Amino acid sequence: MDSPHSEVTGAAIRAEGFGLKGPRGWAFRGVGIDAAPGSLVAIAGPSGSGRTCLLLALTGRMKPAEGWARVAGEQLPRKMAAVRRISALGHVPGVSELDPAFTVAEHLRERVMLQRRYDGSVRALLRSPARRRAESGARIEAALAAAGLDLASLPKRDQTSVRDVERLEALRLTVALALIQRPRLLAVDDTDLKLSDAERAAAWALLRSVADSGTTVLAVCSEAPAEADITVVTTEVGAKDGATSEEGAADAFATAGSA
């Protein structure tokens, strides 16, 4: 069976003097990055320091205000749409979240259907329903394996509601959903939030494995792990007015442009 990374080459990320400004002031500025394809990049900093905004800007979902960045050779902000096409979001509060009323199976089926609709070739659309179902099943199975999500370990297997899934397993599910898209760049927010030490180690081992398989990974965290190839530290430039990280991201997302 093909791995979800079998045709993936990670996206190189280059940035210098990169900054984004929202209505409450600078979300972040002066960021520099030089990450090779397949790197695990930790975006570390306290809540309210623009971590999420930087994650969204580097995936083409927020428009920067100064400096420059290139993702897989695509210049930001001029080629934001191109960067969005090669990137996928895991867990990002307020932007890419699981629906607690959905089951795991419903989330997986929905993601495959969307992927087939927006990214399928004409030849793929002409395949028989049985073959399309088999290919979708194989893609889901490969993504689950890469994310380390064992459906048999869930209370009701794939019929488990998301509200009944533990935090680490929910993280694995969001990564699996993102990998169904076979992205060159995977972005995950709040990687270490509300996890025990053992769960945090498992989460970073998962993202290290994804990066080692070829996909470049951006991961927001409060403390960078040893597994990271590169650590970008954000400062509290946007926290002086009392804005929280979610408020800052929402404001800048609305003002600077979104996908």
Side-chain angles (χ1 to χ4, degrees), residues 3 28 55 74 95 99 102 108 111 121 150 178 194 203 234:
S3 160
F28 65 85
L55 188 84
E74 303 289 357
V95 180
D99 187 328
F102 275 30
L108 292 167
R111 185 60 59 92
S121 65
D150 180 9
K194 297 181 180 179
T234 56

Side-chain angles (χ1 to χ4, degrees), residues 52-132:
T52 301
C53 292
L54 177 56
L55 188 84
L56 293 172
L58 289 172
T59 55
R61 289 162 174 85
M62 297 183 76
K63 188 175 182 180
E66 70 176 10
W68 62 268
R70 284 193 298 273
V71 179
E74 303 289 357
Q75 189 85 19
L76 292 173
R78 189 166 58 89
K79 293 293 186 71
M80 290 175 66
V83 173
R84 289 196 297 271
R85 284 194 294 271
I86 64 165
S87 62
L89 300 181
H91 172 73
V92 180
V95 180
S96 174
E97 295 182 289
L98 298 173
D99 187 328
F102 275 30
T103 66
V104 171
E106 287 170 334
H107 272 293
L108 292 167
R109 284 198 299 268
E110 179 186 56
R111 185 60 59 92
V112 166
M113 288 174 60
L114 288 172
Q115 184 66 18
R116 190 166 59 216
R117 177 177 178 182
Y118 293 109
D119 194 39
S121 65
V122 173
R123 173 180 286 184
L125 294 174
L126 293 176
R127 290 170 182 161
S128 69
R131 184 173 179 185
R132 290 201 301 270

Side-chain angles (χ1 to χ4, degrees), residues 61-241:
R61 289 162 174 85
M62 297 183 76
K63 188 175 182 180
E66 70 176 10
W68 62 268
R70 284 193 298 273
V71 179
E74 303 289 357
Q75 189 85 19
L76 292 173
R78 189 166 58 89
K79 293 293 186 71
M80 290 175 66
V83 173
R84 289 196 297 271
R85 284 194 294 271
I86 64 165
S87 62
L89 300 181
H91 172 73
V92 180
V95 180
S96 174
E97 295 182 289
L98 298 173
D99 187 328
F102 275 30
T103 66
V104 171
E106 287 170 334
H107 272 293
L108 292 167
R109 284 198 299 268
E110 179 186 56
R111 185 60 59 92
V112 166
M113 288 174 60
L114 288 172
Q115 184 66 18
R116 190 166 59 216
R117 177 177 178 182
Y118 293 109
D119 194 39
S121 65
V122 173
R123 173 180 286 184
L125 294 174
L126 293 176
R127 290 170 182 161
S128 69
R131 184 173 179 185
R132 290 201 301 270
R133 285 193 298 271
E135 290 173 346
S136 295
R139 180 172 284 209
I140 288 173
E141 186 177 341
L144 289 172
L149 180 57
D150 180 9
L151 297 182
S153 69
L154 301 179
K156 297 181 181 178
R157 297 181 63 89
D158 64 351
Q159 295 306 308
T160 304
S161 294
V162 165
R163 64 170 59 91
D164 297 323
V165 176
E166 297 294 333
R167 162 72 179 157
L168 178 60
E169 302 314 304
L171 176 63
R172 292 187 186 279
L173 176 57
T174 66
V175 170
L177 293 171
L179 292 180
I180 285 172
Q181 300 175 225
R182 295 177 178 165
R184 298 180 64 185
L185 175 62
L186 168 67
V188 182
D189 198 6
D190 289 340
T191 301
D192 52 5
L193 181 66
K194 297 181 180 179
L195 294 180
S196 67
D197 289 345
E199 290 171 334
R200 188 177 296 112
W204 285 114
L206 160 62
L207 298 181
R208 178 72 266 171
S209 174
V210 172
D212 289 343
S213 297
T215 302
T216 303
V217 178
L218 292 173
V220 164
C221 56
S222 57
E223 184 176 347
E227 291 87 347
D229 297 307
I230 296 171
T231 298
V232 179
V233 179
T234 56
T235 57
E236 297 184 74
V237 295
K240 60 183 181 296
D241 56 8

